[in-house]
Amino acid sequence: MRTIRNGLVLALGITMTALGATACGSGGDETPPAAAPNEHVDLTLATFTEFGYEALIPEYERLHPNIKITHRKTGQGGPYHQDLITKLAAGSGLADVTAVEEGHLSDVLDKGSKFNDLSKIGPADASPDRWLSWKYDAAKTKDGKVIGYGTDIGPLAMCYRKDMFAAAGLPTDPEAVKPLFATWDSYFQAGADYAAKTKKAWFDSASQNFNAMVNQLPQGYIGSDDKLAVENNQGIKDAWTKVTDAVAKGESAKLTAFSNEWNTGFKQGAFATKVCPAWMLGVIKEQAGPENANKWAVTAAFPGGGGNWGGSYLTVPTQSKHPKEAAELAAWLTAPEQQIKAFQAKGTFPSQVKALTDPALLSQTDAYFGGAKVGELFAEQAKKVQKPQYKGPGDGQIQENAASPALQAVEQGKSAADGWQQLVDSAKKITR
């Protein structure tokens, strides 16, 4: 399950279409010339779910009277990315500025020839130091081409139910609970104690924790050679052991993320803790409802340090007839000032270094979570992420269609060993 914004969630369980060798719409590496000054230019912008651009588009058109922008906004990320892959293979039909979610980035990075290098055609002020280094670097192809400008991010913290902690004799203050979330060992040990004492679940879903743990590793399901690395990745094996041991100790509520039962679980107090990327706060508020306001809390701690889950990029496909103008629009939309406006509009958390120190962000509080300074908290968590994990083609599909079903099978009674074999076998089919 990947991003999502302002409480809009979906499970991205899709099968990517194979990309053919169709030539790029613009004719390879040749870049069309820029429009003459004041020449009228029509640009298209394609996004999915909520990016917070509704008020920014007319603002850009006022600043650039010769530019007219048509915004193609899709409600769901799954169909959007399927359509993107189809049009990428066909060599036509993509918007001048096309958004790509981080969970699907690996499926386009190895098709770098189909995207403009923004480090070459973009404006000078869109320099690498604008962004958090790990956000910027994640959009680089193996040969150093920059195919996307970073939009939002999903820095990870931990959310928990204060009332359920209190009933179990655990601390409830956000600072006091940090030791429980210091490492995955301390987190699962606290969960084992909690489950044994209360006979209630500590977390919602094994796959939610496993996904966060795998994303923290230097290497994930796919190695830098683009070959399957599951069987030989000790970090993944260790994460599997820790999570499945926790399931055996009764720590999991055994809910499928983003299902109706999972949604209802927030309202019913079906679990005491939750892995919390910045966008998850909106999900909790929506699903737990006003009757649970002030029962949930968030703390600036995450097992193992930091992590990221979610976020997107704006790309300029080589299909665009106006790549220079498209790059300028993408750079403006992702500038610090606009990222703050998008955050205020839809809660998309900024990836720009300057935006992370903006008083408008740092002063942001959330009454639902007891007045927590969520802007400052997630800015702190974002800085804990050191570098992006390499994600090769098929990485997202393995997480969605191999790891999650295997963990769900363990939650339903399959042995950890048999579940691991299911994960390995399914991953091999995906990458075959």
Side-chain angles (χ1 to χ4, degrees), residues 176-189:
V177 301
K178 283 185 176 181
L180 300 178
F181 306 137
T183 67
W184 286 109
D185 287 338
S186 67
Y187 174 73
F188 287 127
Q189 182 58 57

Side-chain angles (χ1 to χ4, degrees), residues 13 38 49 54 76 78-79 96 105 113 163 172 187 190 198 200 203 325 342 379 399 402:
N38 299 319
T49 65
E54 284 72 17
Q76 294 185 338
D96 295 289
L105 189 61
S113 63
D163 57 333
T172 61
Y187 174 73
T198 66
K200 295 180 180 179
F203 56 82
E325 291 80 7
Q399 171 59 36

Side-chain angles (χ1 to χ4, degrees), residues 303-319:
N308 183 74
W309 181 2
S312 296
Y313 292 83
L314 297 183
T315 70
V316 178
T318 53
Q319 296 177 20

Side-chain angles (χ1 to χ4, degrees), residues 17-279:
T17 308
L19 294 179
T22 310
C24 303
S26 65
D29 293 330
E30 296 180 7
T31 301
N38 299 319
E39 178 184 344
H40 179 79
V41 175
D42 288 310
L43 293 178
T44 50
L45 166 68
T47 64
F48 52 95
T49 65
E50 300 293 341
F51 277 65
Y53 291 166
E54 284 72 17
L56 295 179
I57 292 171
E59 181 180 346
Y60 191 82
E61 290 176 331
R62 287 194 298 270
L63 294 171
H64 302 81
N66 63 314
I67 302 288
K68 175 63 179 176
I69 302 168
T70 300
H71 187 191
R72 304 175 188 168
K73 181 179 176 181
T74 302
Q76 294 185 338
Y80 171 90
H81 286 90
Q82 286 179 306
D83 183 64
L84 187 161
I85 293 298
T86 299
K87 290 176 177 175
L88 193 65
S92 64
L94 287 175
D96 295 289
V97 179
T98 297
V100 178
E101 202 266 340
E102 62 94 18
H104 295 271
L105 189 61
S106 64
D107 293 294
V108 301
L109 274 174
D110 64 336
K111 306 296 185 292
S113 63
K114 296 178 182 291
F115 294 89
N116 281 285
D117 186 347
L118 298 179
S119 69
K120 293 183 178 179
I121 71 166
D125 60 353
S127 56
D129 57 1
R130 225 189 200 193
W131 287 267
L132 291 166
S133 60
W134 58 267
K135 179 69 174 180
Y136 185 84
D137 291 344
K140 287 182 179 178
T141 62
K142 287 186 176 181
D143 59 0
K145 190 174 185 179
V146 178
I147 69 166
Y149 287 147
T151 60
D152 60 318
I153 54 177
L156 286 162
M158 288 298 295
C159 291
Y160 62 98
R161 280 281 295 257
K162 291 185 292 185
D163 57 333
M164 296 172 71
F165 270 41
L170 292 172
T172 61
D173 180 77
E175 287 298 315
V177 301
K178 283 185 176 181
L180 300 178
F181 306 137
T183 67
W184 286 109
D185 287 338
S186 67
Y187 174 73
F188 287 127
Q189 182 58 57
D193 295 340
Y194 177 86
K197 183 174 183 178
T198 66
K199 308 304 179 186
K200 295 180 180 179
W202 181 239
F203 56 82
D204 58 331
S205 158
S207 65
Q208 293 275 283
N209 290 327
F210 187 74
N211 183 37
M213 296 168 79
V214 172
N215 280 341
Q216 288 179 314
L217 299 173
Q219 178 174 282
Y221 300 112
I222 305 295
S224 57
D225 58 359
D226 287 342
K227 294 181 180 179
L228 185 64
V230 174
E231 285 184 288
N232 299 320
N233 190 319
Q234 190 61 45
I236 293 179
K237 292 180 180 179
D238 291 344
W240 179 271
T241 298
K242 292 179 192 296
V243 170
T244 54
D245 281 351
V247 171
K249 293 175 181 177
E251 297 182 43
S252 176
K254 303 178 181 179
L255 298 172
T256 300
F258 309 116
S259 67
N260 290 334
E261 294 78 12
W262 183 80
N263 291 338
T264 302
F266 285 102
K267 190 179 299 289
Q268 296 178 340
F271 43 89
T273 68
K274 180 75 194 80
V275 168
C276 257
W279 50 266

